[in-house]
Amino acid sequence: DVAAGTSAAAHRSLVPGLRVTHIDGRDVSGLTQPECTELLEAVPVGETVDLTLSRHRAPDGVAEGGDGVSELERTLTELFELWHDIYMKFCTESITFRELSIYGELLSATELQCLAETASIGGGWSDWRRNRSTSSWANTRMASVQQFLELNQRRDALATAIAVVSELGQYIENGRAIHGGLHALQRGLQSSWTDNSLASMSGLMTHTAEVDTRLLGIDRGLIEALRAHPELIQWMREALESDFQQAVEIVSGLGEAQCPDDLWEERDKKLGSLSEVRQQLQAFIFRPTDKFGSLPELTDTLIGVSATVVEHLHACAELLVPFSLAFSSDPDSVAPRRLAMFRDPERRAAWKVGWSDARSAPTVSVEYKVRRRRQGDGGREVLEYAHTKALDLH
């Protein structure tokens, strides 16, 4: 029997799994819980109530330990201690970046207010109480969490900025100095990142204020493609700034004798790739000066560029020579550049000289291989030098 008003030790013996069978000697085993509650509420305040308890099996999913404390109660106690620890670390701004990286994505202002309301005074479940200033407290801490998430973005953007300057520094004034400054900033952040706490947030936000998080939206493949094909970019800058559509129409109308060999097949598709590169990278290619004055200026030209342009860039780079021949406005440069292609061993170029009779002038031609597409193994298209073409020279 356990009497009401007994010691705390007696109360702690009331663990999940106990069943009340008698109240003041009355058998209540057949009553519902609300009916038992009504009987207890009818007892005058201050009077003793005798309860007869029967140990019943623990509820499903609630295991008991050797000390009589259920696993559920023990788990809840551990959760409370963790909950209170998080609360205190927020209060003292000692919560680390390592912890914020775990909690930051999970906590909202609502959860933080709940944290403040339930853990503002520690010590046990009975100490939980509502704090009138919890809303203000939660909003302030939520702002700190958002700052941390932004700082984390800046750290990621810093790595991208270093990659951009490393790959495209040739297009930026003082690119080497900018690269060194970004590296120093990154080393400073990385050296103590996980050990930093909320208390150091303000200083780090100031220190990284110039890091442009827009860099996170730039495709890494685009950066690598621009670095790999500077000749294509420079040729487009010099040759395609004005009257581009008119030039495309002229190239589209060239006959086989005038059209560079590598453009003859699928010419519209290849010209479409060139148009796509020019359209998407127009601000980058046709920049006002040879070099951007700063990293943000370069970034402005790459924001919003689709990752699909990377494939077009690589395709156009392979066709740089035939493009330059087709779009050339200087006829004196076309023949030498076209003849230079014959130095490629894969073309198997051979000069042919012949006479129709002893009195006629000789004819001179060059036979060479041109690339054509064919169906390869597995149905995949293969581009290879398999077609022989003869070019008459007069």
Side-chain angles (χ1 to χ4, degrees), residues 262-274:
D262 291 339
L263 289 184
W264 180 249
E265 285 194 343
E266 298 183 318
R267 185 176 4 178
D268 290 343
K269 178 180 178 181
K270 294 166 183 176
L271 290 173
S273 289
L274 186 65

Side-chain angles (χ1 to χ4, degrees), residues 1-2 9-22 29 51-59 62-71 73:
D1 291 347
V2 180
H11 281 294
R12 283 197 296 271
S13 69
L14 299 175
V15 297
L18 295 180
R19 173 181 293 176
V20 178
T21 60
H22 294 77
S29 57
L51 301 178
T52 302
L53 305 176
S54 171
R55 180 171 294 279
H56 191 61
R57 68 178 181 85
V62 180
E64 289 187 4
D67 55 1
V69 179
S70 71
E71 287 297 324
E73 187 175 4

Side-chain angles (χ1 to χ4, degrees), residues 18-43 49-53:
L18 295 180
R19 173 181 293 176
V20 178
T21 60
H22 294 77
I23 298 177
D24 282 339
R26 177 182 173 181
D27 184 3
V28 295
S29 57
L31 300 183
T32 63
Q33 184 175 339
E35 290 171 333
C36 289
T37 301
E38 186 177 352
L39 285 176
L40 291 172
E41 289 177 343
V43 177
V49 177
D50 291 328
L51 301 178
T52 302
L53 305 176

Side-chain angles (χ1 to χ4, degrees), residues 249-326:
E249 291 175 5
I250 293 173
V251 173
S252 295
L254 293 176
E256 186 173 6
Q258 296 80 31
C259 182
D261 304 317
D262 291 339
L263 289 184
W264 180 249
E265 285 194 343
E266 298 183 318
R267 185 176 4 178
D268 290 343
K269 178 180 178 181
K270 294 166 183 176
L271 290 173
S273 289
L274 186 65
S275 297
E276 185 71 13
V277 171
R278 186 182 183 277
Q279 178 181 350
Q280 295 234 20
L281 295 173
Q282 186 166 1
F284 179 85
I285 296 171
F286 305 115
R287 53 197 178 276
T289 58
D290 284 342
K291 292 192 175 185
F292 295 102
S294 64
L295 177 57
E297 287 184 16
L298 183 148
T299 303
D300 289 341
T301 67
L302 300 182
I303 294 299
V305 174
S306 171
T308 58
V309 79
V310 173
E311 182 180 348
H312 295 297
L313 261 172
H314 291 309
C316 289
E318 289 186 3
L319 296 168
L320 176 56
V321 172
F323 273 145
S324 61
L325 292 175

Side-chain angles (χ1 to χ4, degrees), residues 12 46 76 148 158 162 170 212 222 244 271 285 298 315 380:
R12 283 197 296 271
L76 290 174
F148 168 75
L158 185 57
I162 291 173
Q170 60 182 309
D212 193 344
L222 171 62
F244 176 68
L271 290 173
I285 296 171
L298 183 148
R380 297 174 57 187

Side-chain angles (χ1 to χ4, degrees), residues 3 9 12 25 27 40 57 94 104-105 129 136 162 169 184 191 203 229 236 238 242 287 319 359 379 386:
R12 283 197 296 271
D27 184 3
L40 291 172
R57 68 178 181 85
S94 60
E105 297 287 353
R129 64 183 63 179
S136 175
I162 291 173
S191 62
H229 306 306
M236 294 183 71
E238 294 174 355
S242 59
R287 53 197 178 276
L319 296 168
R359 293 175 295 177

Side-chain angles (χ1 to χ4, degrees), residues 53-303:
L53 305 176
S54 171
R55 180 171 294 279
H56 191 61
R57 68 178 181 85
D60 291 341
V62 180
E64 289 187 4
D67 55 1
V69 179
S70 71
E71 287 297 324
L72 175 61
E73 187 175 4
R74 183 179 291 107
T75 300
L76 290 174
T77 301
E78 291 172 355
L79 286 174
F80 167 76
E81 291 172 353
L82 175 61
W83 198 237
H84 183 260
D85 182 58
I86 297 172
Y87 169 75
M88 291 305 298
K89 285 183 175 181
F90 267 112
C91 287
T92 59
E93 295 191 331
S94 60
I95 189 167
T96 65
F97 285 3
R98 182 188 291 109
E99 292 168 320
L100 280 171
S101 66
I102 298 172
Y103 303 134
E105 297 287 353
L106 303 176
L107 293 174
S108 67
T110 301
E111 278 89 20
L112 283 171
Q113 187 168 358
C114 177
L115 174 66
E117 291 174 352
T118 57
S120 57
I121 298 179
W125 298 106
S126 61
D127 292 325
W128 287 15
R129 64 183 63 179
R130 183 174 298 275
N131 189 326
R132 292 181 180 178
S133 61
T134 54
S135 178
S136 175
W137 184 93
N139 289 334
T140 300
R141 270 61 190 182
M142 194 63 220
S144 297
V145 171
Q146 293 298 329
Q147 273 196 330
F148 168 75
L149 296 177
E150 182 180 348
L151 181 62
N152 205 26
Q153 273 197 326
R154 291 182 184 181
R155 185 175 67 134
D156 293 339
L158 185 57
T160 304
I162 291 173
V164 170
V165 178
S166 177
E167 304 284 2
L168 304 178
Q170 60 182 309
Y171 297 107
I172 310 173
E173 291 284 356
N174 302 316
R176 182 172 298 180
I178 293 173
H179 188 263
L182 292 172
H183 257 302
L185 181 57
Q186 185 185 52
R187 285 194 298 269
L189 277 179
Q190 297 289 66
S191 62
S192 58
W193 176 259
T194 56
D195 296 326
N196 274 319
S197 67
L198 203 57
S200 60
M201 181 78 70
S202 178
L204 291 174
M205 289 296 289
T206 300
H207 201 45
T208 58
E210 295 186 3
V211 177
D212 193 344
T213 54
R214 295 180 305 160
L215 287 163
L216 295 173
I218 298 177
D219 182 72
R220 190 64 175 266
L222 171 62
I223 298 170
E224 294 171 355
L226 289 173
R227 176 197 58 79
H229 306 306
E231 296 87 357
L232 173 67
I233 298 301
Q234 187 59 31
W235 171 73
M236 294 183 71
R237 179 173 171 80
E238 294 174 355
L240 304 182
E241 184 171 7
S242 59
D243 300 325
F244 176 68
Q245 291 303 323
Q246 181 179 355
V248 168
E249 291 175 5
I250 293 173
V251 173
S252 295
L254 293 176
E256 186 173 6
Q258 296 80 31
C259 182
D261 304 317
D262 291 339
L263 289 184
W264 180 249
E265 285 194 343
E266 298 183 318
R267 185 176 4 178
D268 290 343
K269 178 180 178 181
K270 294 166 183 176
L271 290 173
S273 289
L274 186 65
S275 297
E276 185 71 13
V277 171
R278 186 182 183 277
Q279 178 181 350
Q280 295 234 20
L281 295 173
Q282 186 166 1
F284 179 85
I285 296 171
F286 305 115
R287 53 197 178 276
T289 58
D290 284 342
K291 292 192 175 185
F292 295 102
S294 64
L295 177 57
E297 287 184 16
L298 183 148
T299 303
D300 289 341
T301 67
L302 300 182
I303 294 299

